[in-house]
Amino acid sequence: MNPDSAERHLGDYLLKQLLAENLLHRTWLAEQVSISRLVLVDELTDESQRDAFLADVRAKAAVEHPLVGSVYEAVAEPGLCFYAHELLAGSTLADRLAARKTLLPARLAHLLRRISEAQLHHESLNHASSPLGLNAVHLDDHGVLRLKNLVLTGERTADQSSRDIVHLGSALVPLVASNRPGSTRLLTLLSWMRGEGLDAPINWAQTRDYCMQIEHQLSDSLSSLTPTQPGSIVRKKPMATMVTVTVLVLAGIVALAISLRPPDAAPPPPTALPEPTNIPAGKYPTPDGIEGEIGAFKIAAYEVTIGQYAEFLETLGLLAKNQNERIFDPADQPASKTTHLPDDWDALYAAAKSKRTWRNLTVTLDTPVVGVDWWDAAAYAQWKKGRLPTQEEWFAAVTTGVKIPAAITPSGWEPVTANHADRTPAGLLGMAGSVSEWTAKPAMNPANPLGEKLWVIIGGSYLKSGSNALSREWTADRSLRRSDLGFRIALDSQ
C-alpha cells in the first residue's frame, strides 16, 4: 500500500499526510474521525522493534506535565502497531529561527523559564529523553509554550541535563532581539548555559531562577542592572545558584494547567504603580536641623506593597529547593532568624488577594506591607538590587519641593493609587502617613546625645494620631514588627 495514501486508516485515524519517516517508524498528520480532531500518529514499520517501540510509548504516556505533549492512545495488534499523540499548536522555535524572527528578551526569558520547569519535572522523575532542540519547542498564536514529548524508556543519564542546557545556550542566541532591554542579561545567561567563564554550565534550577530574575527585573522599573558572574552575585558575592540577574512574574502570560480556585482568591488586575523618584546630588536639610551633602540616588515613590512582597517570598520558596533561601540575608542577620514571613502573613495575604478586611481594614495587593522587621526589609531590598534609604536620604526626598514637610496631609493605610492624597511635589506617596518605615543605619537620638546610636524608624503612621513626615522613632531592636511598620527602597543613581 502506498504510505502516502490520504485514504488510509489506522483504527479511528484517517492518515492525511506523511510528515517524517525513519528506519523504525513513520509520523503522520491524521484526523481522529470519531471526534474530528487532528493528531499525530507514529506507526511502527520495523516489527522487530515492537517491544522497544511500545516501551518508549509507555514511558511517554506516563508523563503528566501541562507543558508536555500528551499521548492519546496506543494500539498493538498483529501486524499493526502505532500510537496517537497531541498535535501541538503553533510553530516551533526552529521555524522562528529559520524565518529570522527574534523574541524580546523578557519573552524569551519567560519561555526558557518554562522549559526549565518542564526539564526539572523530568529530572525529578528520572525521565530519560531524546535531545531537546528548538524543533521540540512550540509556540502558539497566543504565546503559549508546549514541548514535544521526548521521553524514552530507561534511566536518565548523568549528562542529559547538561547536554540540553549547553545546546539551548547556543541555539537560542540568534533568537534574542538585539539592543532591547534585557538583551545583554539574557545573552550573559546563555553564555553561562554554555559554561563560558565557569567551571561547568549551570543547571536547570539555576537557569529557571536566573530567568525569573530577568523577568522580574524587566518588569520592575526600580531595577536596571545587568547580571554579574554567577557565584558572585548578590550581597557579599553569594553562590552560583540564581541571583545575579536580579529579579516570578506572577501575571501577564497565559499559563497552562492553572488550578481553579474559589473566586474570592483570585487577585485583582495589577495597578500601574508610579516609578521611582530621582533625587539629585546637593545640599539638603537633615532631620536634625542642619544641612548635609547628599549624593544622587533614586527612591521608590511608594512603600513596598503586599503583592510585591509576596513575589519576594515566592522567590525564596523556589530558592529553598536548593537550600539557597538565605542568599539575600544581611551579613549580620542572626542565625536564629530563618524566615522572612511578616506577622500574620497568611491572613494578610489572603485578605489582600480578595480585597477583604484584615484587622478591620480593607487591604489589596497594592496596600503597603506591614509586620516586617529590619532584616526582612533589608533582604527584600537586596533582592531588588537596592537598599534601605538612610534617614538623611529619606528626609532629602521628602523635602524636595517641600518647604514645610509637617504640612503634607497624612493618609491612612491605603492602596497605592494615582489619587493618593499623601503626595509630595516630587511624587512620593505615604511619607506623612500610611505606615512608618525602616531606614538603613543607626543614628543618634538628638534628645539623648550621649546615648548609643539606635535604628531609625521614620515617617508618619496611620495608627499614630498627629504623626507626620517629621516623625521619627529610635529602637535597639531590629526584630521589631508592627502592623503600622513597613519600608520603601532606594537605589544608587546609575
Side-chain angles (χ1 to χ4, degrees):
M1 177 179 290
N2 181 359
D4 295 324
S5 171
E7 298 301 320
R8 185 179 173 213
H9 283 76
L10 288 177
D12 190 29
Y13 303 94
L14 172 63
L15 306 184
K16 289 182 167 292
Q17 181 181 355
L18 181 63
L19 301 179
E21 184 174 12
N22 58 33
L23 295 176
L24 178 64
H25 61 83
R26 301 187 186 108
T27 300
W28 297 88
L29 174 66
E31 179 185 356
Q32 188 173 0
V33 177
S34 60
I35 57 176
S36 299
R37 173 174 66 178
L38 288 177
V39 301
L40 295 176
V41 170
D42 277 32
E43 176 190 14
L44 179 68
T45 55
D46 183 352
E47 278 293 322
S48 68
Q49 299 299 315
R50 173 182 285 247
D51 290 345
F53 179 79
L54 291 175
D56 285 343
V57 173
R58 284 191 292 270
K60 295 179 194 299
V63 176
E64 295 183 3
H65 192 279
L67 297 184
V68 180
S70 301
V71 172
Y72 295 140
E73 180 184 12
V75 174
E77 300 174 353
L80 181 65
C81 185
F82 69 90
Y83 79 101
H85 53 109
E86 184 178 0
L87 173 65
L88 300 178
S91 58
T92 68
L93 291 188
D95 296 331
R96 194 175 189 98
L97 179 61
R100 298 186 178 181
K101 294 181 179 179
T102 59
L103 289 161
L104 292 175
R107 181 70 183 128
L108 193 51
H110 173 80
L111 298 178
L112 183 54
R113 173 168 67 85
R114 300 293 280 159
I115 292 170
S116 301
E117 291 167 355
Q119 300 314 303
L120 285 169
H121 174 77
H122 291 321
E123 280 188 348
S124 69
L125 296 177
N126 199 33
H127 289 158
S129 69
S130 303
L132 173 63
L134 297 186
N135 59 348
V137 184
H138 290 248
L139 204 59
D140 71 11
D141 293 338
H142 303 287
V144 176
L145 177 141
R146 301 295 304 286
L147 296 174
K148 181 179 179 181
N149 192 330
L150 300 175
V151 170
L152 304 172
T153 188
E155 295 292 321
R156 187 180 183 88
T157 60
D159 65 344
Q160 184 171 305
S161 291
S162 60
R163 172 200 70 193
D164 292 340
I165 291 170
V166 170
H167 175 72
L168 286 184
S170 297
L172 290 174
V173 171
L175 288 173
V176 180
S178 59
N179 301 318
R180 303 301 293 268
S183 58
T184 299
R185 277 162 278 187
L186 190 56
L187 289 171
T188 299
L189 171 57
L190 295 177
S191 73
W192 293 343
M193 291 172 66
R194 300 191 299 271
E196 295 177 8
L198 308 175
D199 293 333
I202 57 178
N203 58 36
W204 281 123
Q206 292 169 309
T207 302
R208 173 203 60 196
D209 294 341
Y210 284 127
C211 287
M212 185 172 61
Q213 295 282 15
I214 293 175
E215 288 183 81
H216 275 271
Q217 195 173 22
L218 294 179
S219 65
D220 188 346
S221 59
L222 277 176
S223 185
S224 61
L225 302 178
T226 56
T228 51
Q229 178 74 15
S232 60
I233 309 171
V234 192
R235 164 192 66 78
K236 306 274 185 190
K237 306 187 184 298
M239 68 285 310
T241 351
M242 143 80 165
V243 184
T244 174
V245 256
T246 333
V247 220
L248 205 251
V249 127
L250 296 177
I253 299 183
V254 178
L256 298 170
I258 299 176
S259 300
L260 294 178
R261 293 180 173 84
D264 64 353
T271 301
L273 301 180
E275 296 186 354
T277 297
N278 287 298
I279 306 299
K283 290 186 177 181
Y284 293 89
T286 70
D288 296 324
I290 60 175
E291 198 172 63
E293 194 78 31
I294 300 291
F297 68 100
K298 293 193 293 185
I299 189 167
Y302 53 91
E303 293 135 337
V304 171
T305 67
I306 295 169
Q308 290 171 328
Y309 199 86
E311 292 183 4
F312 170 57
L313 293 178
E314 183 170 356
T315 298
L316 296 185
L318 292 172
L319 289 170
K321 296 176 181 179
N322 293 323
Q323 290 78 51
N324 293 321
E325 67 273 21
R326 304 198 67 163
I327 59 176
F328 300 113
D329 292 355
D332 57 348
Q333 179 172 307
S336 59
K337 180 175 174 59
T338 58
T339 177
H340 289 296
L341 285 175
D343 282 347
D344 200 23
W345 173 250
D346 289 343
L348 175 62
Y349 186 45
K353 287 193 292 184
S354 54
K355 295 185 178 180
R356 296 200 306 262
T357 60
W358 180 78
R359 299 188 181 181
N360 299 318
L361 291 170
T362 300
V363 294
T364 76
L365 293 176
D366 294 325
T367 301
V369 72
V370 294
V372 290
D373 60 27
W374 185 93
W375 312 104
D376 302 327
Y380 177 97
Q382 182 68 59
W383 174 58
K384 284 296 186 184
K385 271 292 186 183
R387 54 182 173 78
L388 296 177
T390 65
Q391 65 162 341
E392 290 80 13
E393 288 174 327
W394 195 97
F395 202 72
V398 79
T399 55
T400 298
V402 176
K403 292 184 178 180
I404 307 175
I408 301 172
T409 302
S411 65
W413 185 38
E414 302 170 358
V416 179
T417 68
N419 300 318
H420 208 288
D422 186 346
R423 175 190 294 271
T424 73
L428 300 172
L429 311 180
M431 305 290 270
S434 190
V435 298
S436 298
E437 302 173 23
W438 285 107
T439 60
K441 299 177 181 178
M444 180 193 70
N445 184 343
N448 183 22
L450 298 181
E452 65 174 321
K453 291 182 177 182
L454 300 175
W455 297 88
V456 180
I457 297 170
I458 200 165
S461 157
Y462 76 98
L463 285 181
K464 296 186 177 181
S465 178
S467 64
N468 56 42
L470 296 178
S471 300
R472 281 189 295 170
E473 306 168 60
W474 285 263
T475 180
D477 183 13
R478 282 188 278 177
S479 298
L480 174 68
R481 289 178 166 186
R482 299 193 317 230
S483 58
D484 69 336
L485 180 54
F487 66 100
R488 74 181 70 216
I489 72 171
L491 288 168
D492 294 326
S493 288
Q494 298 300 310

